[in-house]
Amino acid sequence: MNALEKIKKIKVVPVIVINDENNAEKLAASLINGGLPVAEVPFRTPAAENAIKRMKAYSPDILVGAGTVVNAEQAERAIAAGADFIVSPGLSESVADYCRQKNVPYIPGCVTPYEIMKAIDCGAKVIKFFPAGAFGGLKTIKSLAAPFGSVEFMPTGGVNEDNLSEYLSFDKIATCGGSWMAESKLIDNGKFDEIESKCRAAAEIAAKVRA
Ligand code: 3PG
């Protein structure tokens, strides 16, 4: 099973901004124990690169992607650290090229038909629809999905426990991303039990919508 198939099976991807790489192992454990063995770690903090490395070293069972990757140099660092997939807030052709060379799935951010067509040209199979809430949420995704049958969507930005099941009820949603399960303040304050229970709650919602 490749990374995209695994993401699709897990159905929810916690987006986790990590400030201290020393939290990587406890965080990985709480995701695994909470039933969501996956993370998108944004390349927005200096700790991101080593945190990815340490989460992957902690367990081969956890899928770790790098988020907020805006250029090929970051993609190179993320993949060298062990990232299983690469996510951007928009579409970068240079990141797409690099990921293709390395055979690592790339999930570019797109919110318009033009961007989705460029993403298809780049070989993308899953599109990050970001920021989902601000761009019309599921209504917009349904409109975009009609002409673009070859891609699936990962809405992120404004997805939460209250609207997760609604998003997942649409079969063109590959998975949903969001920060609500593992916010930085929970990590920084060592609230790993809380992260685990939020992950479990999200996993239970997802399991109800899609067995
Ligand atoms: C991201 O980086 O993908 C978003 O900031 C996550 O959005 P959310 O905080 O609304 O879940």
Side-chain angles (χ1 to χ4, degrees):
M1 204 187 289
N2 71 25
L4 292 182
E5 286 164 345
K6 285 187 193 163
I7 287 175
K8 214 176 146 179
K9 198 160 169 257
I10 301 169
K11 305 177 201 84
V12 187
V13 177
V15 175
I16 311 177
V17 176
I18 301 179
N19 295 315
D20 180 355
E21 65 169 86
N22 292 317
N23 287 320
E25 290 79 9
K26 283 185 187 149
L27 185 59
S30 54
L31 298 174
I32 293 167
N33 295 335
L36 293 182
V38 60
E40 176 189 326
V41 177
F43 247 56
R44 270 180 234 167
T45 61
E49 191 172 343
N50 279 340
I52 291 172
K53 216 177 268 175
R54 287 173 64 165
M55 288 170 84
K56 289 299 297 177
Y58 175 78
S59 169
D61 296 333
I62 189 163
L63 199 65
V64 185
T68 324
V69 171
V70 297
N71 57 47
E73 185 264 333
Q74 285 181 335
E76 186 177 353
R77 280 170 40 217
I79 292 170
D84 297 298
F85 61 96
I86 299 292
V87 185
S88 295
L91 168 69
S92 161
E93 291 180 49
S94 60
V95 172
D97 284 347
Y98 187 78
C99 291
R100 196 179 316 109
Q101 273 173 43
K102 294 287 172 184
N103 205 20
V104 172
Y106 177 45
I107 305 179
C110 301
V111 290
T112 66
Y114 175 78
E115 292 162 0
I116 294 173
M117 287 179 69
K118 297 286 278 183
I120 291 170
D121 276 348
C122 290
K125 303 277 182 256
V126 176
I127 302 295
K128 174 169 176 164
F129 184 72
F130 171 78
F135 278 90
L138 189 54
K139 190 166 180 253
T140 305
I141 294 174
K142 284 185 172 170
S143 304
L144 289 169
F148 297 118
S150 67
V151 292
E152 293 181 301
F153 296 84
M154 179 176 79
T156 308
V159 182
N160 54 50
E161 256 180 34
D162 297 329
N163 58 21
L164 177 62
S165 61
E166 192 189 345
Y167 275 108
L168 287 175
S169 66
F170 183 47
D171 64 355
K172 285 291 179 179
I173 305 284
T175 186
C176 286
S179 63
W180 82 94
M181 294 148 281
E183 287 173 309
S184 303
K185 60 174 191 269
L186 292 180
I187 304 170
D188 295 341
N189 293 320
K191 308 259 188 198
F192 296 102
D193 288 350
E194 204 173 318
I195 292 171
E196 185 181 320
S197 62
K198 281 174 185 265
C199 287
R200 191 169 299 113
E204 280 167 7
I205 293 169
K208 274 188 201 143
V209 187
R210 292 185 195 171

